[in-house]
């Protein structure tokens, strides 16, 4: 006996990826429903070798369904997630709405799988921000060995993090630059993204940081350890898919780079590719479509006591969003629901 699964926001980038990953990982689905807003009603999406038509989120009855994977913005989630949860359907939410709610577990299955057991207070589990998810997968096994004091991270985030609008903007701006007769302007980003980088993701906060940077700080503390100090600079780069991060880690105890490399090689969800030669590292283009979080450029930082640098790359539509949500569903099934 398998699960009755709902994918909410099935026509978006993340929703479609959720369907792909459910099929690829052979998640035990007995029945599946795909929901969208009325403007996308009837749009067809793929699930394995099946083609499904979207149903209306506004009128859908979640009663009797086991798990709902939400891939819509916070506004729609605020309206529909509590309705789904109230019927007994467990919501796994990809928006930022519930991440900082103390009654809602924030889960990365390689890091804190036991946290899913706290779902029952609201029948909701939160999926972290894409840039946080890949980073904590790398931090946790190192933290277990040497205890992390402080993390300094600079991100290089792809335009797919802004959804379809971001992908279209990079494509259209690039074409317009090569063909100056094209008259193109975009409201997706505050500055040109083609052949440029923008040190601004989400809104600015009073202390000068952006909301994206604040998310990485708050979520790392909730998922890994509230004692870890984190400072982040988040940058949008002209890459279609795949987020990269340069992470500087300060530990309480010394951790040799060779031992760190072996720890990461053995850690779940991580692939280490770290050769000190031309091309002996992973870039965003190579991570697309892969489940793994890739770690390269592991090396000692001699400017601080007990310091280490790593380069971290992952497909943000997968580990940063859809894959992590499906892994949460798998963990919930194995630990709590126990079907399939």
């Amino acid at each position: 006996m398998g699960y009755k699964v709902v994918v909410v926001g099935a026509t978006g980038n993340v929703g479609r990826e959720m369907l792909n990953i459910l099929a690829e990982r052979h998640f035990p689905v007995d029945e599946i429903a795909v929901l969208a807003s009325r403007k996308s009603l009837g749009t067809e999406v793929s699930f394995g070798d099946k083609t499904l038509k979207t149903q209306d989120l506004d009128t859908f009855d979640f009663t009797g369904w086991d798990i709902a994977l939400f891939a819509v913005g916070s506004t729609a989630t605020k309206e529909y997630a509590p309705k789904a949860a109230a019927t007994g359907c467990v919501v796994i939410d990809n928006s930022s709405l519930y991440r900082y709610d103390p009654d809602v577990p924030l889960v990365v299955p390689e890091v804190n799988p036991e946290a899913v057991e706290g779902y029952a207070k609201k029948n909701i589990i939160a999926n972290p921000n894409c840039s946080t998810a890949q980073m904590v997968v790398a931090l946790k096994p190192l933290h277990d060995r040497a205890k992390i004091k402080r993390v300094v991270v600079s991100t290089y985030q792809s335009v797919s993090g802004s959804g379809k609008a971001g992908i279209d903007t990079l494509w259209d701006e690039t074409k317009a630059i090569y063909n100056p007769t094209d008259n193109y302007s975009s409201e997706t980003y505050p500055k040109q993204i083609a052949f440029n980088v923008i040190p601004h993701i989400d809104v600015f906060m009073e202390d000068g940081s952006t909301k994206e940077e604040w998310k990485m700080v708050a979520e790392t503390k909730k998922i890994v350890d509230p004692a870890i100090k984190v400072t982040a600079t988040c940058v949008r780069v002209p890459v279609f898919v795949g987020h990269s991060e340069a992470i500087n880690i300060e530990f309480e105890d010394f951790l040799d780079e060779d031992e760190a490399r072996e720890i990461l090689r053995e850690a779940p969800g991580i692939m280490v590719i770290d050769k000190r030669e031309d091309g002996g590292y992973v870039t965003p283009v190579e991570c697309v479509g892969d489940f793994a979080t890739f770690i390269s450029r592991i090396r000692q930082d001699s400017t601080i006591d007990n310091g280490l640098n790593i380069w971290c790359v992952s497909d943000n539509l997968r580990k940063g969003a859809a894959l992590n949500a499906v892994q949460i569903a798998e963990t919930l099934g194995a630990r709590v629901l126990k079907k399939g």
Side-chain angles (χ1 to χ4, degrees):
M1 185 177 177
Y3 297 95
K4 293 180 68 176
V5 177
V6 184
V7 176
V8 182
T11 60
N13 289 341
V14 174
R16 289 177 187 271
E17 201 64 32
M18 284 175 172
L19 289 165
N20 290 338
I21 292 168
L22 285 167
E24 285 176 32
R25 292 173 73 89
H26 304 290
F27 187 82
V29 174
D30 266 4
E31 190 176 345
I32 191 160
V34 290
L35 309 186
S37 63
R38 285 192 175 163
K39 68 179 182 181
S40 300
L41 201 58
T43 301
E44 293 186 342
V45 293
S46 297
F47 174 60
D49 57 2
K50 298 177 183 176
T51 300
L52 308 174
K53 279 192 175 182
T54 56
Q55 302 178 52
D56 187 0
L57 171 59
D58 199 40
T59 58
F60 187 80
D61 184 0
F62 288 88
T63 304
W65 293 83
D66 297 306
I67 297 170
L69 302 174
F70 269 65
V72 290
S74 294
T75 302
T77 299
K78 187 175 184 179
E79 180 176 356
Y80 295 103
K83 292 178 180 177
T87 69
C89 180
V90 182
V91 171
I92 299 172
D93 176 34
N94 195 60
S95 81
S96 62
L97 184 65
Y98 292 105
R99 291 174 187 161
Y100 317 106
D101 186 327
D103 291 334
V104 174
L106 182 64
V107 178
V108 176
E110 297 94 336
V111 178
N112 61 339
E114 70 288 344
V116 297
E117 295 169 20
Y119 80 96
K121 289 181 181 177
K122 289 192 174 179
N123 244 21
I124 297 171
I125 302 170
N127 207 18
N129 186 45
C130 49
S131 50
T132 306
Q134 68 187 71
M135 182 172 77
V136 298
V137 168
L139 294 183
K140 181 59 163 61
L142 301 177
H143 182 62
D144 287 345
R145 162 60 181 83
K147 198 165 187 184
I148 296 170
K149 289 173 60 177
R150 180 172 184 256
V151 174
V152 181
V153 56
S154 297
T155 72
Y156 307 76
Q157 294 178 229
S158 67
V159 294
S160 57
S162 304
K164 185 177 183 297
I167 293 171
D168 290 345
T169 296
L170 176 56
W171 177 250
D172 291 337
E173 281 187 0
T174 302
K175 287 193 299 179
I177 288 168
Y178 275 108
N179 184 7
T181 60
D182 288 354
N183 186 15
Y184 176 77
S185 62
S186 168
E187 296 179 1
T188 306
Y189 299 115
K191 292 180 182 280
Q192 174 185 310
I193 186 61
F195 306 99
N196 198 18
V197 299
I198 305 173
H200 172 196
I201 300 177
D202 213 323
V203 297
F204 274 96
M205 304 179 74
E206 285 188 10
D207 66 354
S209 62
T210 64
K211 187 75 176 287
E212 184 82 356
E213 292 156 357
W214 175 84
K215 288 174 188 175
M216 293 194 74
V217 176
E219 292 173 21
T220 301
K221 288 176 176 289
K222 185 172 179 178
I223 296 167
V224 184
D225 188 336
I228 296 176
K229 295 178 179 179
V230 181
T231 182
T233 300
C234 293
V235 183
R236 189 72 70 194
V237 297
V239 170
F240 284 112
V241 178
H243 287 358
S244 305
E245 298 171 348
I247 308 172
N248 177 264
I249 310 165
E250 182 180 1
F251 299 92
E252 287 192 3
D253 303 312
F254 179 75
L255 178 59
D256 177 76
E257 63 186 41
D258 292 327
E259 184 182 355
R261 192 174 289 107
E262 289 310 307
I263 289 169
L264 291 168
R265 283 192 202 283
E266 297 299 319
I270 289 176
M271 180 75 69
V272 175
I273 297 179
D274 187 23
K275 298 178 181 178
R276 294 179 175 179
E277 60 186 43
D278 292 352
Y281 43 81
V282 172
T283 61
V285 169
E286 296 151 286
C287 80
V288 174
D290 206 295
F291 290 143
T293 294
F294 292 90
I295 305 296
S296 308
R297 303 295 316 283
I298 303 165
R299 61 203 189 280
Q300 230 77 50
D301 176 6
S302 60
T303 67
I304 55 171
D305 293 336
N306 308 329
L308 205 67
N309 289 304
I310 63 173
W311 174 251
C312 176
V313 177
S314 190
D315 182 331
N316 56 293
L317 297 179
R318 291 209 151 201
K319 186 56 193 169
L323 171 62
N324 200 72
V326 173
Q327 288 177 303
I328 291 172
E330 292 170 344
T331 306
L332 178 72
R335 285 178 169 260
V336 182
L337 304 182
K338 299 187 177 178
K339 289 186 183 181

